[in-house]
Amino acid sequence: MSKHMKTEENGSGVDAPDEYSRDNVERYSSKRKKHATRRNVVRGIVIALVAVLVGGGTAFALWINNVQTRMNNSQVITPELQQSLASSTEDDTPATPNDPYYVLLLGTDGRPGETDYRADTIILARIDPPNKRVTLLSIPRDTMVEWKGTTMKINGVHTYDGAAGMVQIVSEKCGVQISHYAEIAFDGLSTLTDAMGGVTVDVDQHIKDTENFDDVTELQPGVQTLNGAQALFYCRCRHFPDGDYTRMRHQRTFIKAMLNQLLATDDPTKIVNLVNATADVISTDLSVTDIVTLASEMVGMDTESDIYTAYVPSEPKDVNGVAYVVADWDALDEMMKVIDAGEDPSSFDVDQYGYNADDSSAGSDATTSDSSTTTDTTASSTVATSQQSAESTVSSSTSAPKN
């Protein structure tokens, strides 16, 4: 349970809109029809998998075990990480299947065989299966924190204490217990995208960076299906006036697009290929059963309206010659109350923190489908001058790869 848990009988400290009101009856009816259709699709997939299980039980069981072993990478899913994850509520009462929970998602610059690498992307996700809703909160990787008596950027915690340390610091700063962890290397994102046959994204602006990328160095605006290399460029490039804020928005937009395609996939062969690809590039404490259950619970989710996005209220600052992102922890505390209530937190980012309404250079960039589009498009112009040093991590001995 989080420190923001609700006390009212309706389970929310924030007034929620009446989904079943007259005004929303048409939308509700449409969602129910979509839910029924996708439920039938999932039923068909389950039947197909059961047929495989019955026809070759031993082989299927061995395959599942192999997938499980690869996903539960022991170099990442350590006993220390398991201890950091919340397995029950504060009063030791086991959580019910209907309880929303938090997952820490990390994108790293690690490569196969490496044990020391940086947390390049940090997203706290609230998963709400009963309401088929997901909230994605981006945490700037350069956020200034205190960790074991040392001031550093939050991604530096990963260098010191790995996934367990990241769970602990995010849990502490956001005031919630984190139940699960998943990490993907950016090279793995490319592999997974290709395994999906590409991911269709509405690229909101012209993107170009020939200094930090060698393969794909440019994307034109518009709806297009990105292959793995293009997806990597879209999600990693931060050659913008506000640097990391637009990049975080692009990452959340890509996740939404990917979820939309995954939930619409109804080809059992393609699903098997995706599971294999996922096992090779994602490290998580979740089991295959957990993932299949979550996918079935989320069938029918409207990815346009039921995925909320935001970023930690913050702004870039130079502190003693080091380029940090300084968070407004009081504002984050208020934001987390809204997130914990299952409501849209994006209004906290409007016209403040990392956004300068007077900067016309980014006005044309705010055309993405991300719900926080108007909130994190442009930071203060000083960010551009700080990007050169933003790669550094205080007290970190790791070298900085391209971008």
Side-chain angles (χ1 to χ4, degrees):
M1 291 178 64
S2 75
K3 70 180 183 181
H4 305 299
M5 289 299 290
K6 285 68 65 179
T7 57
E8 297 178 3
E9 291 184 0
N10 64 3
S12 174
V14 178
D15 292 334
D18 185 357
E19 187 175 3
Y20 310 105
S21 67
R22 250 176 235 167
D23 292 339
N24 288 319
V25 69
E26 183 175 347
R27 176 174 176 269
Y28 174 70
S29 177
S30 174
K31 287 180 66 176
R32 293 300 298 174
K33 289 178 182 178
K34 184 185 296 184
H35 175 72
T37 300
R38 291 192 174 177
R39 184 170 53 193
N40 290 335
V41 169
V42 170
R43 186 180 294 116
I45 294 171
V46 171
I47 291 173
L49 290 176
V50 169
V52 173
L53 178 60
V54 173
T58 301
F60 185 77
L62 289 173
W63 179 73
I64 288 293
N65 183 65
N66 177 266
V67 168
Q68 188 71 67
T69 300
R70 284 184 284 157
M71 286 198 307
N72 297 156
N73 180 355
S74 60
Q75 288 186 324
V76 176
I77 312 303
T78 61
E80 291 78 13
L81 172 62
Q82 297 283 11
Q83 292 174 5
S84 299
L85 296 171
S87 59
S88 63
T89 57
E90 290 176 346
D91 59 1
D92 292 328
T93 302
T96 69
N98 290 328
D99 288 337
Y101 56 91
Y102 289 90
V103 180
L104 182 62
L105 307 175
L106 256 61
T108 75
D109 60 7
R111 291 173 175 80
E114 292 183 344
T115 56
D116 293 327
Y117 46 86
R118 300 177 306 172
D120 206 51
T121 295
I122 308 166
I123 296 177
L124 178 64
R126 181 182 186 270
I127 311 298
D128 185 354
N131 293 306
K132 300 185 186 301
R133 185 170 296 149
V134 173
T135 304
L136 303 174
L137 176 68
S138 292
I139 302 172
R141 68 181 192 174
D142 294 334
T143 301
M144 186 171 67
V145 298
E146 292 289 327
W147 180 248
K148 295 184 176 179
T150 301
T151 299
M152 65 179 69
K153 297 177 182 181
I154 195 169
N155 69 339
V157 174
H158 191 277
T159 303
Y160 284 96
D161 291 297
M166 292 302 297
V167 168
Q168 292 170 31
I169 190 67
V170 173
S171 177
E172 172 191 325
K173 293 302 182 182
C174 294
V176 296
Q177 289 188 317
I178 297 172
S179 299
H180 296 291
Y181 176 87
E183 153 182 324
I184 183 171
F186 277 110
D187 288 347
L189 175 67
S190 176
T191 300
L192 185 57
T193 300
D194 284 335
M196 293 178 61
V199 173
T200 301
V201 175
D202 187 357
V203 178
D204 62 322
Q205 61 188 287
H206 177 241
I207 306 173
K208 186 175 182 179
D209 185 352
T210 58
E211 296 179 9
N212 299 295
F213 296 88
D214 297 322
D215 190 356
V216 176
T217 61
E218 186 174 12
L219 283 176
Q220 299 297 330
V223 177
Q224 54 199 287
T225 299
L226 305 181
N227 62 28
Q230 291 170 325
L232 193 59
F233 176 70
Y234 177 74
C235 290
R236 292 208 73 184
C237 181
R238 61 174 187 166
H239 200 66
F240 311 104
D242 66 351
D244 212 28
Y245 287 92
T246 290
R247 181 168 75 161
M248 289 188 293
R249 174 162 53 83
H250 285 170
Q251 290 166 351
R252 298 193 303 267
T253 298
F254 188 82
I255 290 173
K256 290 175 67 174
M258 179 177 280
L259 284 175
N260 187 51
Q261 286 185 211
L262 287 172
L263 291 174
T265 301
D266 57 0
D267 181 349
T269 301
K270 192 171 185 179
I271 290 173
V272 170
N273 291 335
L274 283 173
V275 170
N276 266 323
T278 299
D280 286 330
V281 301
I282 292 180
S283 298
T284 180
D285 69 296
L286 289 163
S287 68
V288 174
T289 302
D290 291 334
I291 294 172
V292 171
T293 299
L294 176 59
S296 64
E297 289 173 334
M298 288 301 189
V299 167
M301 179 176 68
D302 186 338
T303 56
E304 288 303 313
S305 61
D306 291 334
I307 297 182
Y308 297 148
T309 66
Y311 62 89
V312 168
S314 57
E315 59 183 338
K317 285 185 178 180
D318 185 284
V319 180
N320 297 325
V322 178
Y324 285 106
V325 169
V326 177
D328 183 335
W329 301 116
D330 291 335
L332 176 61
D333 188 62
E334 294 303 310
M335 175 185 276
M336 289 306 304
K337 292 176 183 178
V338 173
I339 291 176
D340 219 34
E343 300 302 320
D344 185 355
S346 62
S347 62
F348 279 80
D349 294 330
V350 174
D351 293 333
Q352 51 186 330
Y353 312 110
Y355 174 72
N356 179 3
D358 295 328
D359 190 337
S360 59
S361 64
S364 60
D365 296 347
T367 56
T368 179
S369 59
D370 190 323
S371 67
S372 61
T373 295
T374 60
T375 69
D376 48 2
T377 45
T378 307
S380 140
S381 59
T382 58
V383 187
T385 61
S386 68
Q387 294 308 311
Q388 294 179 350
S389 59
E391 291 287 344
S392 63
T393 300
V394 173
S395 301
S396 171
S397 60
T398 58
S399 61
K402 279 197 170 186
N403 205 42

